[in-house]
């Protein structure tokens, strides 16, 4: 079946790792995955050839998995190896983080050793503001800032819990531990809350179940070379693709 050609029009915004373009449909956008990789709120940056292609493939796979599990996302379909067609949403300037295992900033903040399992997943909110370096806030801050309502937060937390349950089980069956991951949400033309942005090794901490090897952007944070980083991203893609052929 041939798909209608999607026309990319004007660039709407450019972030650290993606560009967003308008399309011929005012309620749909085209998201282009770049090869940039960043950490420390963009202070550390590099370009890794073809990384955007892998993140597009991985996010496509995961968003299809979530859509098929009854979780609404902005993803419509993959256009090509770097681009997706997505529902246009008004993004909340908030980053939601789910933590299943102590790692990263949580380990430093609480003075706890990495690797400790968290019995009840911890949900965190970060206010997306480059000038303030994306500070950690709570529900009351978010409502006070008039970004979101308590009802919307409650709805998002339910969605997050479902996403976490689906991905933890799925990845664990592929010998991957979902340590933590970040998400963004927005509202579409129908005022529905949709999971947006991406879910990939750029936005998740993924550990090999047997070796505890890091299969994510921590390889970049730790200073490994481009080839090593691409190897672990390829490993994640390989494990996902194995499942799609089962």
């Amino acid at each position: 079946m041939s798909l209608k050609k999607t026309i990319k029009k004007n660039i709407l915004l450019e972030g650290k790792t993606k560009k967003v373009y308008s399309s011929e449909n005012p309620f749909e956008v085209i998201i282009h995955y770049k090869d940039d990789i960043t950490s420390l709120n963009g202070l550390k940056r590099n370009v890794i050839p073809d990384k955007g292609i892998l993140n597009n493939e991985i996010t496509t796979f995961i968003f299809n998995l979530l859509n098929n599990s009854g979780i609404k996302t902005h993803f419509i379909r993959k256009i090509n190896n770097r681009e997706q067609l997505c529902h246009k949403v008004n993004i909340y300037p908030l980053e939601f983080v789910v933590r299943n295992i102590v790692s990263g900033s949580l380990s430093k903040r609480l003075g706890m050793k990495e690797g400790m399992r968290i019995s009840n997943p911890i949900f965190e909110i970060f206010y997306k503001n480059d000038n303030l370096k994306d500070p950690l806030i709570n529900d009351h801050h978010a409502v006070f800032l008039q970004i979101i309502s308590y009802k919307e937060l409650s709805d998002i937390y339910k969605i997050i819990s479902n996403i976490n349950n689906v991905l933890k089980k799925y990845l664990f069956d592929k010998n991957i531990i979902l340590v933590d991951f970040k998400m963004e949400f927005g509202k579409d033309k129908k005022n529905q809350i949709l999971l947006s942005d991406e879910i990939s090794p750029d936005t998740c901490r993924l550990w090999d179940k047997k070796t505890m090897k890091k299969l994510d952007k921590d390889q970049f944070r730790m200073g490994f070379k481009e080839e090593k980083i691409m190897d672990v991203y390829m490993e994640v893609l390989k494990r996902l693709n194995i499942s799609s052929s089962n």
Side-chain angles (χ1 to χ4, degrees):
M1 182 178 69
S2 61
L3 293 172
K4 177 184 174 184
K5 185 177 179 181
T6 303
I7 301 172
K8 184 165 64 177
K9 300 181 81 174
N10 302 316
I11 188 165
L12 299 175
L13 61 92
E14 181 171 1
K16 296 181 181 76
T17 60
K18 293 184 289 297
K19 296 178 182 178
V20 180
Y21 293 88
S22 61
S23 71
E24 70 272 24
N25 185 328
F27 300 112
E28 296 175 352
V29 295
I30 295 168
I31 296 180
H32 175 96
Y33 283 72
K34 303 192 297 184
D35 289 335
D36 299 59
I37 187 167
T38 68
S39 66
L40 303 173
N41 287 323
L43 294 178
K44 184 177 181 181
R45 179 185 294 270
N46 202 348
V47 175
I48 301 178
D50 295 336
K51 182 189 75 74
I53 294 174
L54 297 184
N55 278 355
N56 183 25
E57 291 288 345
I58 292 169
T59 297
T60 292
F61 188 94
I62 290 177
F63 275 45
N64 274 325
L65 171 66
L66 295 174
N67 282 335
N68 291 334
S69 299
I71 296 167
K72 295 179 180 179
T73 79
H74 73 160
F75 177 81
I76 299 173
R77 63 179 171 85
K78 188 177 82 168
I79 298 172
N80 54 48
N81 65 354
R82 285 191 181 272
E83 295 177 333
Q84 300 172 356
L85 182 67
C86 296
H87 296 292
K88 186 177 182 179
V89 297
N90 291 318
I91 288 279
Y92 297 103
L94 301 171
E95 192 174 83
F96 294 86
V97 175
V98 180
R99 300 187 183 275
N100 298 307
I101 293 176
V102 174
S103 186
S105 63
L106 182 66
S107 173
K108 296 173 184 176
R109 200 184 318 138
L110 301 183
M112 301 177 76
K113 186 177 179 180
E114 279 201 342
M116 181 178 295
R117 294 187 179 274
I118 300 168
S119 56
N120 294 307
I122 294 173
F123 295 174
E124 295 178 340
I125 309 176
F126 293 83
Y127 177 31
K128 288 179 65 66
N129 185 307
D130 288 339
N131 292 332
L132 299 177
K133 299 181 180 179
D134 298 349
L136 174 66
I137 63 174
N138 62 31
D139 292 13
H140 306 300
H141 293 131
V143 174
F144 169 70
L145 291 168
Q146 299 183 341
I147 293 171
I148 197 167
S149 70
Y150 286 114
K151 173 64 167 60
E152 290 168 326
L153 283 169
S154 177
D155 291 343
I156 286 175
Y157 287 144
K158 290 175 185 175
I159 297 169
I160 287 173
S161 182
N162 288 337
I163 294 170
N164 192 39
N165 289 336
V166 169
L167 292 186
K168 270 199 309 183
K169 182 181 185 308
Y170 187 87
L171 292 171
F172 195 77
D173 289 342
K174 302 303 167 188
N175 294 315
I176 297 175
I177 296 172
L178 181 59
V179 175
D180 59 43
F181 64 112
K182 60 185 179 180
M183 290 162 283
E184 294 185 27
F185 292 87
K187 281 189 169 184
D188 68 1
K189 65 177 180 179
K190 298 178 181 177
N191 221 31
Q192 297 181 107
I193 295 175
L194 304 181
L195 173 67
S196 305
D197 196 44
E198 69 178 290
I199 294 182
S200 73
D202 270 13
T203 64
C204 303
R205 278 195 174 87
L206 307 170
W207 293 353
D208 181 87
K209 185 166 72 175
K210 297 177 181 177
T211 66
M212 298 300 170
K213 177 183 176 182
K214 297 177 190 247
L215 303 173
D216 55 61
K217 194 168 74 170
D218 270 349
Q219 296 277 349
F220 175 64
R221 295 185 183 101
M222 295 185 296
F224 285 102
K225 293 183 178 180
E226 294 176 8
E227 298 81 8
K228 181 77 171 176
I229 298 166
M230 285 294 285
D231 283 347
V232 298
Y233 280 51
M234 283 292 296
E235 178 63 23
V236 172
L237 181 60
K238 177 183 174 184
R239 295 190 193 189
L240 293 179
N241 282 341
I242 289 171
S243 69
S244 64
S245 61
N246 284 346

